[in-house]
Amino acid sequence: MLTQQTVNVAYDRAIDGRGLPAGLCYGGDYNPEQWPESVWQEDMALMRTAGVNLVTVGVFAWSSLQPRPDVFELDWLARVLDLLHAHGIGAVLATPTASPPPWFSRLHPDALPMTADGVRLIHGSRDTYCPSAPAYLAAARTICATLVARFRDHPALAMWHVHNEYGAVCHCPHSTAAFRTWLRDRYRTLDALNDAWTTAFWGQGYGDWDEIETPRATRYLANPGQDLDFRRFCSDALLAAYVQQRDLIRAATPDVPVTTNFVFGPWVPVDHARWAKEVDIVAIDDYPSEAGPGADDQTAFAGDLARGWARGRPWLLMESAPNLIHTPGRMHAKEPGRLAVHSLAHVARGSRGVMFFQWRQPRGGAERFHSAVVTHAGADTRVFREVVALGERLRTTVPAVPRHPTAIVFDAHSWWALQGPGLPTAVDYLAEVRAAHKALGAADVVFPGEPVDAYRTVVVPALFLLDDAYAEVLRRHVLRGGTLVVSYLSGVCDAYARVRLGGYPGALRDVLGIRVEEFQPLAAPVELGFPAAAVPETGMFWSERIHLRGAVAEATYLGGSWKGLPAITRHGRAWYLSTRLGPEAYARTMAHIVNTER
Amino acid sequence: MLTQQTVNVAYDRAIDGRGLPAGLCYGGDYNPEQWPESVWQEDMALMRTAGVNLVTVGVFAWSSLQPRPDVFELDWLARVLDLLHAHGIGAVLATPTASPPPWFSRLHPDALPMTADGVRLIHGSRDTYCPSAPAYLAAARTICATLVARFRDHPALAMWHVHNEYGAVCHCPHSTAAFRTWLRDRYRTLDALNDAWTTAFWGQGYGDWDEIETPRATRYLANPGQDLDFRRFCSDALLAAYVQQRDLIRAATPDVPVTTNFVFGPWVPVDHARWAKEVDIVAIDDYPSEAGPGADDQTAFAGDLARGWARGRPWLLMESAPNLIHTPGRMHAKEPGRLAVHSLAHVARGSRGVMFFQWRQPRGGAERFHSAVVTHAGADTRVFREVVALGERLRTTVPAVPRHPTAIVFDAHSWWALQGPGLPTAVDYLAEVRAAHKALGAADVVFPGEPVDAYRTVVVPALFLLDDAYAEVLRRHVLRGGTLVVSYLSGVCDAYARVRLGGYPGALRDVLGIRVEEFQPLAAPVELGFPAAAVPETGMFWSERIHLRGAVAEATYLGGSWKGLPAITRHGRAWYLSTRLGPEAYARTMAHIVNTER
Amino acid sequence: MLTQQTVNVAYDRAIDGRGLPAGLCYGGDYNPEQWPESVWQEDMALMRTAGVNLVTVGVFAWSSLQPRPDVFELDWLARVLDLLHAHGIGAVLATPTASPPPWFSRLHPDALPMTADGVRLIHGSRDTYCPSAPAYLAAARTICATLVARFRDHPALAMWHVHNEYGAVCHCPHSTAAFRTWLRDRYRTLDALNDAWTTAFWGQGYGDWDEIETPRATRYLANPGQDLDFRRFCSDALLAAYVQQRDLIRAATPDVPVTTNFVFGPWVPVDHARWAKEVDIVAIDDYPSEAGPGADDQTAFAGDLARGWARGRPWLLMESAPNLIHTPGRMHAKEPGRLAVHSLAHVARGSRGVMFFQWRQPRGGAERFHSAVVTHAGADTRVFREVVALGERLRTTVPAVPRHPTAIVFDAHSWWALQGPGLPTAVDYLAEVRAAHKALGAADVVFPGEPVDAYRTVVVPALFLLDDAYAEVLRRHVLRGGTLVVSYLSGVCDAYARVRLGGYPGALRDVLGIRVEEFQPLAAPVELGFPAAAVPETGMFWSERIHLRGAVAEATYLGGSWKGLPAITRHGRAWYLSTRLGPEAYARTMAHIVNTER
């Protein structure tokens, strides 16, 4: 039912041979430093067999590139790049700053990260750095500049890849000082901060910027404003660490795109919608957490979200798993064929290619059982044959970037706020958004603060934070004749996680023609009556007492606390869902709304 | 079946207009410092509509009252008190010491609390202080004295409310030093302490007071005597912090009652039965943790317990939730009408009134979704209408304090000991007591160390700690012709949590006419046979091998480890239950015992 | 079906009356320091009633023996030994070093252990020491030497018992320094270490030994090589602490055996197969964690394992529970008679006796509810009567040490590696080995690195680590005509937990005639078809895609990811199980294999 438009793809390989390959990229993370050079030749042969045309090198290689503070060993990487070039394979050259070497941690213990409990983490894993520590930032600049100086003119260089999966959180004194500076920049006055954080509650009024701490371990519930701002600060602190490297790179190689790979999950304090403006091409890592069809749904959403970050331009699937999925409690081998299904699903959603992590499964290290192209069993495997077959298929696949008439609003800040303290129940924001996306099948993804003029229908699931400006955007969308679908927990707060008064959903009450007086998180499902449905559906997770203020009831609670009261309402083209529908009912309802409003 | 007696109510408003209002108090926590003054007038109007005659002000307002070490801002509070007085509303004036301001934590990091793991907690929540830190105690005296000096003669002043929900635990060096002093006072000699704690086990013999630590993180099971005494110390350390404020207040305003609100839960190291002797009126906060009828049962017990703390005098429900209940995992909106049911249940059990937390639901802060009278949706709500209706009803309700012929023994120390290390299974003492109370429907609550002469029946559930003197009290009760009902886990230990030898239940073996040789915590229920019952009942959680030494079997195990052996015994008027009955069987059995013995 | 051979028993009481009693030992841990001397006489009488001929004294008595740094009080222990001797009871004299006294912790806070989070544990439990702290080692030598000097010639002395249940882990600076030294000794060069740990992954290459830390808290997955080596180091550090005491004792009393009691569990970083070479008789503590028949299975395995540690010589059950078993969530009273069943099961498996923990249940302390011979209820109990009856029975029981034609391979290092980071799913190695043992009913237990010539069948469950030499041992076993049964997860890694390439199960592919390409941990059971079975069996937990390379399929997957492919294979006499069979099917399969190959 949804129409798609094909657009042209940018970032083709430039005249001098640098930039991403024309057509679709195919390859993955390549870590030759984990193997003797004798293996490299076999790698090249297997890559050609598989149709690989692009690999990422250098991720996590800091201790191999700079084994001691004053010793740089770049020759091996030069040989790798030469070899790749000789085999017609482009290189995404990564800076290795996601994992400082042990010598760095020993020299600069103050640059090791600290948990909210005050535990200073040690190295021996990855991401063991404080993004605000001066010593770390300086060391990152040094290794970055060294790589740039050496390889800026290498013909294999297709793209720069800064760091890896930015997402580290730190509560050390450097972070605390940086957080205070960030807050000063944001609020200017303590009065403004005290107001935004409602510090009058529980007597938390600040009289000096230096009284403010990161949300470390405290007695009981933390301040939700402080918690939310800390996540915002983390995103910005990491972004600054990225930008310092990007700028250094851009100055040297303005013709080569620069990016970093986005990792996505509830633990990641990164506003990727904001970051996407700082990369030359959006690159994502995608690892579904479910087996079977659930993985397909997650893949579809991830692809649409990436295209959203890219604002409709092409993007790149930078990491994905050829086989094993980490489901809760165990890894799960993907069913035969699913590798292609997921890869092509991403290409169909705008990915400029398909990249795997990693090329060759390592013998040791923490991720020695992580999925790979060339596994412990070698290349005479189902997985490698599937990779080869996909490579052939991709050579004849025309990259395209779809566009949909329906958009879903995604907001990292609402996600963060819904992970904060003191909520009525545990809310899985991502599950809310994915459920709405699954009900639609496919959609564009948009972000608060940006226009929605291009869309016929805008779907707003659990948009907990909503500022006046974006409420106005949504209001105008309806006035303009657009359809709006809003779910519970939307519009409840302003941008500071302060509740909007007068009844939920705050600034959307007027456009939705309702006023929600109170809510009831559900321990068990309740039945819902739809006029057109023969049998009742069920509502789950949440329910609300809705007062109609212009809207009409499209479905009614048949049980529970609000028996006989509206569960789903419509006010012209503005719909409101006060409970979570099951997958089929949600899909039927979305189809009905989209069809009704066409 | 149980008779009630009505007694007169004390604490009526005194001649000069101060003291609690005559009749029933109605109101709740009022935090105008969270709102612009423009809202205050609306508050007054709504309070009058609702029949509010008493509000608590100043709780957690320290940072508003003393925004910097040397700056006091009390005028706003004076305006609030004036406004209240002008509207005929009394004020419970709270000292704000439960939440020191950020400046205090910055000036005195040594006064921040420390966890058992040695983590120094930061401010940014509430209760972030060490009750033994000299700087904290000094600052608390200062703000308390400042409030007293300013408002001692204010006509709105109805009662003083020190602090809020005392319950903070700390393991910092100040607490450690204070714990050592407390132990010295308690035991005088290390020999006495080593004997009480049985330090000969695992080689823990102390040779110097300064070797003793609070029960911080250790390798494996901690010493149960140390654990129990630390909780006792915490109660006393907090009590000393309360008393220093109370005495300061009493000296200035001897005519105004002083109290603090008791919070109740497994995490609270406060012996409220002891504390109750230090307040002018017992005040409790009551938040049931179950929805539906379970909340009613909890409410009934809470009210009877509060009256017990008050030793049969009136008490005050100082905090309760107009609507949302925090059940495990989610908030639950109370069913319409339950607000009145719970409130009147408390009044019927002796409460001098009904107070809510809080008056106006805040926009921000950690508890912005906590239940309130005036919610985010405003006053045009079901909840506010129920509050108004209840206010009307309370105006014609005559306060009364019931008295019952049956008493349940409650003991915070047994509760603590049953939370200690090395027990045969996880015991929920509160669940044991509540189950016995529910089986009775209503009862007085009494405490070890106090006489039980006034009662026909005394019920002793899971009284794990039992000293000789109180065992003698119970023995004389039976000799005097009283009925005694004892359940498993009672009388097992002395006051130092040392097991009484010779068979359980220790000092009660003779009066019960039994000797328990061994126990079997139950993974699954077992069947019990009652001679008079057609179908078997089930016993849960616990079972015991009982030897009759004069008692007769009133019920028998039909399965499990002790098949054919007694499960419930009677020795004259002394009954013993060695397993947990289900709610109906428990109630039937209690009714049978009470009727039999009448 | 399995044959047994009886062998003579060593360690009989020597000519001078010292050494273990002839016949079977009977008794347990005796802690008279927890009781007034008036109780001791009753103890002697009860011990004689029960037929006790050996008790362990002094465990955990450090603070009683050395109450202050410069004060030793050994007279009470001399009186105890005199009393025992006068009653014909031998003494296992323990050094008390498992629980340093409080004065030691106060004097030497640097010798208190540190957790992986950096929390310095306090005393007040047991095992609160760092085994690498010089102050601890010196203090242990002093108390040990003091005991030896005083009691070396005491006629009651039957055996020395060093420490108790070695198993403490520490991450403090002393441990860190010792770990570095241990690594230097093991690897000689950093290149070797970097290779063994695959530090090229995630950029962990070490350039200096002092950069290496113990595996303390870090950001994400730790290095599995580092994790494994740290457990090995812990085992060796503890062993060194044992050996220093043993050598000191041996020098003084070369005629008296020395041992320490092995405790067994996933948290214990001790390679008992290695340690067994350093004790004069293997002594174990055995506490099953299941009630009912599960406890019998655990007991059978524990006995066979102990005999394995003893390399077929007699060993001693040093601690066991007369009654209560700690099952998850609750203690469980053993069924009447089970005390004898478990005790005799151990004797039938080679134990030189039956010892309980502890003689008299203490009034206080963390384990006051731990099972005991003389309980809180006294000696007029079912348990004491069972102890007496068992004592009689043991007097006429002839000790014997069985030998089996089938051996199971057990490997602490594989266990540790399977507790490490980054595995495909959570693996319970002990459950794997126990399941194989239960399928056999009884077996000898052998250890990697040692010959298997004596066995007809060798069973290899989940032997995750397998070095070339031991792979060769297993290969030759098959060449020699022996039967080999290998299960999934075996042979996957080398001794450094690095995966063997080319397909699982690594170095056993040739002898098994298979190549495993990939695995699928199972969320739900799958059906398996056996040609000879009418109904399908189920496979659980794990499954694999097996390629036959000479082997034949003996069972096939009927569902799941590998439908139609082999599940169980046979290559001559070498069998491979790629999934976990249920208990009955496992037993049938093992019986079939053993019978087929006879």
Side-chain angles (χ1 to χ4, degrees), chain A residues 115-320:
Chain A
T115 70
D117 275 347
V119 175
R120 186 74 81 167
L121 300 178
I122 64 157
H123 63 256
S125 174
R126 51 176 271 193
D127 296 280
T128 50
Y129 62 89
C130 164
S132 300
Y136 169 74
L137 293 169
R141 282 193 303 271
T142 299
I143 187 66
C144 177
T146 305
L147 287 172
V148 167
R150 174 72 181 259
F151 298 114
R152 56 186 294 170
D153 297 320
H154 198 285
L157 182 62
M159 182 155 70
W160 290 98
H161 174 309
V162 173
H163 206 85
N164 182 68
E165 296 187 344
Y166 275 105
V169 172
C170 178
H171 291 267
C172 82
H174 294 306
S175 290
T176 302
F179 183 44
R180 290 170 183 160
T181 301
W182 183 91
L183 289 169
R184 240 185 228 268
D185 289 348
R186 178 173 174 81
Y187 290 106
R188 303 295 169 188
T189 69
L190 282 168
D191 282 351
L193 177 141
N194 282 317
D195 184 50
W197 289 7
T198 318
T199 56
F201 189 83
W202 284 354
Q204 299 169 353
Y206 292 100
D208 190 304
W209 295 98
D210 286 344
E211 290 164 13
I212 304 174
E213 307 280 354
T214 65
R216 299 221 315 271
T218 185
R219 177 71 76 176
Y220 184 45
L221 302 174
N223 182 300
Q226 178 187 21
D227 184 86
L228 175 59
D229 272 345
F230 180 67
R231 296 178 199 240
R232 287 167 167 152
F233 156 74
C234 289
S235 182
D236 286 355
L238 291 165
L239 184 58
Y242 162 78
V243 165
Q244 77 160 1
Q245 288 194 48
R246 184 205 59 189
D247 290 351
L248 198 155
I249 292 167
R250 272 198 185 155
T253 57
D255 60 326
V256 181
V258 189
T259 192
T260 185
N261 54 339
F262 291 176
V263 65
F264 187 64
W267 69 92
V268 180
V270 167
D271 177 2
H272 296 110
R274 162 79 187 87
W275 279 53
K277 298 174 182 173
E278 308 291 344
V279 296
D280 290 328
I281 181 169
V282 165
I284 72 161
D285 297 353
D286 186 47
Y287 297 100
S289 62
E290 293 173 65
D296 301 347
D297 297 336
Q298 288 191 16
T299 300
F301 176 68
D304 283 351
L305 178 59
R307 190 181 63 255
W309 287 330
R311 271 69 175 182
R313 294 186 306 162
W315 53 278
L316 183 59
L317 176 67
M318 186 67 101
E319 285 188 24
S320 61

Side-chain angles (χ1 to χ4, degrees), chain C residues 13 26 30 37 39-55 79-91 154-156:
Chain C
R13 195 181 281 272
Y26 195 46
Y30 180 44
E37 293 203 24
V39 175
W40 300 3
Q41 285 294 344
E42 187 194 347
D43 286 331
M44 293 304 117
L46 289 171
M47 284 181 189
R48 290 186 74 115
T49 301
V52 163
N53 59 14
L54 189 72
V55 295
R79 291 197 297 279
V80 169
L81 292 176
D82 293 348
L83 205 57
L84 289 170
H85 187 61
H87 288 80
I89 300 166
H154 199 286

Side-chain angles (χ1 to χ4, degrees), chain C residues 405-425:
Chain C
T406 299
I408 290 187
V409 179
F410 183 86
D411 181 29
H413 301 250
S414 288
W415 196 3
W416 297 337
L418 285 169
Q419 294 176 305
L423 295 167
T425 186

